[in-house]
Amino acid sequence: MTRKQRRLVLIGVSGTVLALSLGLVLFAMRDTIVFFRAPSDIAAQGVDEGVRFRLGGLVEDGSIRREDGQIHYFTVTDGGATIEVRYQGLLPDLFREGQGVVTEGAIDGSGLFRADTVLARHDENYMPREVADALKAQGVWQHGDPAPGTQ
């Protein structure tokens, strides 16, 4: 084998090993990757039942209901669409109507988003960029304005 052929074989083997290791890493992470979606995205594209994702937007005014056993129902909106959320557990201190929220969970068969994590945010400075961009795109607030629900 000439020097050039050895180099080509080494590059080919290295590329194959790299591709296999990347494939194994992506395969192992497939259940831990969680994508963000706004209510308008879900209304437009839909989401399969049981697929985990993050839902972000604003807690709609007048939508919070509490039941026994720390079960909470509320609606998340981005101005274009709304999604009803069910969460069991203690809500964060900053959680209230008109404030930003990011929830993580999945949609069940009835179309209800069952959250297992709720993160409350008080304005776009602490909100994931995707949530703030979705709210701004819907015209809920403009850059520099106070966050909805704050005066």
Side-chain angles (χ1 to χ4, degrees), residues 13-98:
V13 169
S14 298
T16 303
V17 169
L18 181 63
L20 280 172
S21 60
L22 179 64
L24 288 173
V25 167
L26 292 175
F27 180 75
M29 291 179 53
R30 75 184 187 286
D31 291 333
T32 60
I33 296 174
V34 179
F35 293 101
F36 168 81
R37 299 185 194 267
S40 295
D41 297 338
I42 296 167
Q45 301 167 357
V47 174
D48 293 333
E49 178 184 338
V51 174
R52 290 187 56 78
F53 64 95
R54 287 188 178 135
L55 171 67
L58 299 175
V59 178
E60 191 170 47
D61 291 335
S63 69
I64 299 174
R65 296 186 335 261
R66 291 176 170 83
E67 293 184 0
D68 294 337
Q70 296 179 342
I71 297 175
H72 307 276
Y73 292 90
F74 56 93
T75 304
V76 175
T77 184
D78 62 359
T82 60
I83 302 286
E84 186 171 7
V85 177
R86 179 189 186 274
Y87 174 70
Q88 183 171 0
L90 294 173
L91 290 170
D93 292 337
L94 293 175
F95 181 87
R96 62 181 150 280
E97 295 173 349

